[in-house]
C-alpha cells in the first residue's frame, strides 16, 4: 500500500496543473479531465469544476496545440465583500502551503493585510487589486484578486516559465 502511495505522489510531481504538463496537446489535456468541456476552440478549453469548495471555470490555453497556461476563474457570488476576501485568503494560504513563501506579493487598496505594502489605486478609493506569485522550476503561479464597487473577481493562473521566457525574449 505504501509503495502504491509513493508511486502516485511521484507521478503527481510531474504535473504542472491538475493532471497536465506544459506542452501537452489539446487531446491529451481532454483525456486527463474527468468531464466534457463546456467550451473549446483551437486555443482554449474550459470546464466547470470546484477548487477548495469554490465554483470555478477551469481554463486551458494552447499555442500551436501545446499547453502553455491554465487556471481557475472563481465564480462564487457573495453579498458581502468580506466573504470574497476571506475566500481569497483561504486560497492564498493553501497555495502558500503547497508552494512555500510567495516570490512576490502586491496588494493595492483598502483591504490589504497588515504585512503587505498598501497603496491607493488612484481615483477609485474602494478598488482593491492583489497579486501574489509563486515560482516553481517549471511554472509561475499567480493568485489574482480584483474588486471595485461593481464587481469582484479572483482566480489562479498557472503559466509555463519556458513560454513566459520565450515571450519576454521575443518582445525585447
Amino acid at each position: 500500500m505504501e509503495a502504491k502511495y509513493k508511486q502516485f505522489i511521484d507521478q503527481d510531481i510531474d504535473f504542472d496543473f491538475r493532471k497536465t504538463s506544459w506542452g501537452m496537446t489539446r487531446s491529451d489535456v481532454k483525456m486527463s479531465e474527468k468531464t466534457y468541456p463546456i467550451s473549446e476552440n483551437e486555443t482554449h478549453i474550459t470546464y466547470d469544476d470546484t477548487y477548495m469548495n469554490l465554483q470555478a471555470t477551469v481554463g486551458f490555453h494552447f499555442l500551436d496545440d501545446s499547453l502553455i497556461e491554465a487556471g481557475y476563474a472563481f465564480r462564487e457570488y457573495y453579498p458581502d465583500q468580506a466573504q470574497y476576501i476571506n475566500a481569497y485568503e483561504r486560497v492564498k494560504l493553501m497555495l502558500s502551503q503547497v508552494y512555500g513563501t510567495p516570490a512576490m506579493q502586491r496588494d493595492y487598496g483598502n483591504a490589504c493585510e497588515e504585512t503587505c505594502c498598501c497603496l491607493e489605486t488612484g481615483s477609485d478609493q474602494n478598488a482593491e487589486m492583489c497579486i501574489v506569485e509563486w515560482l516553481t522550476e517549471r511554472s509561475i503561479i499567480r493568485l489574482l484578486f480584483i474588486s471595485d464597487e461593481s464587481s469582484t473577481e479572483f482566480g489562479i493562473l498557472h503559466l509555463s516559465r519556458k513560454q513566459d521566457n520565450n515571450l519576454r525574449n521575443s518582445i525585447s
Side-chain angles (χ1 to χ4, degrees), residues 78-88 111 126-129 145-149 151-153:
Y78 299 116
D80 181 12
Q81 176 73 3
Q83 291 175 289
Y84 284 106
I85 294 169
N86 186 354
Y88 162 80
N126 295 321
E128 175 81 18
M129 182 174 75
F145 180 91
I146 302 169
S147 181
D148 62 22
E149 290 179 1
S151 68
T152 298
E153 299 177 22

Side-chain angles (χ1 to χ4, degrees), residues 116-134:
C116 299
C117 168
C118 296
L119 303 172
E120 290 187 11
T121 56
S123 62
D124 189 351
Q125 296 280 335
N126 295 321
E128 175 81 18
M129 182 174 75
C130 305
I131 303 169
V132 184
E133 186 173 277
W134 293 265

Side-chain angles (χ1 to χ4, degrees), residues 2-135:
E2 195 172 310
K4 283 184 182 180
Y5 178 74
K6 182 174 178 358
Q7 182 180 11
F8 174 76
I9 295 298
D10 289 344
Q11 287 175 344
D12 198 38
I13 291 171
D14 292 338
F15 297 126
D16 295 306
F17 178 77
R18 292 165 69 96
K19 298 291 182 189
T20 64
S21 299
W22 304 131
M24 285 177 85
T25 66
R26 290 175 65 247
S27 297
D28 291 337
V29 169
K30 287 172 67 174
M31 288 189 340
S32 76
E33 290 293 317
K34 299 175 276 191
T35 61
Y36 291 106
I38 57 171
S39 70
E40 67 178 294
N41 61 35
E42 193 175 297
T43 59
H44 292 86
I45 302 174
T46 59
Y47 295 87
D48 275 328
D49 206 350
T50 59
Y51 179 82
M52 294 185 59
N53 295 320
L54 298 169
Q55 290 296 316
T57 298
V58 181
F60 296 91
H61 179 198
F62 302 87
L63 181 64
D64 298 325
D65 199 30
S66 178
L67 182 63
I68 61 168
E69 65 183 355
Y72 297 100
F74 297 110
R75 299 187 322 264
E76 294 291 329
Y77 171 76
Y78 299 116
D80 181 12
Q81 176 73 3
Q83 291 175 289
Y84 284 106
I85 294 169
N86 186 354
Y88 162 80
E89 291 296 336
R90 283 188 309 117
V91 171
K92 185 170 112 180
L93 179 62
M94 172 61 89
L95 292 171
S96 293
Q97 290 172 344
V98 172
Y99 299 110
T101 303
M104 186 271 295
Q105 182 167 310
R106 300 282 188 267
D107 292 350
Y108 307 97
N110 299 325
C112 297
E113 295 180 344
E114 293 175 12
T115 60
C116 299
C117 168
C118 296
L119 303 172
E120 290 187 11
T121 56
S123 62
D124 189 351
Q125 296 280 335
N126 295 321
E128 175 81 18
M129 182 174 75
C130 305
I131 303 169
V132 184
E133 186 173 277
W134 293 265
L135 301 174

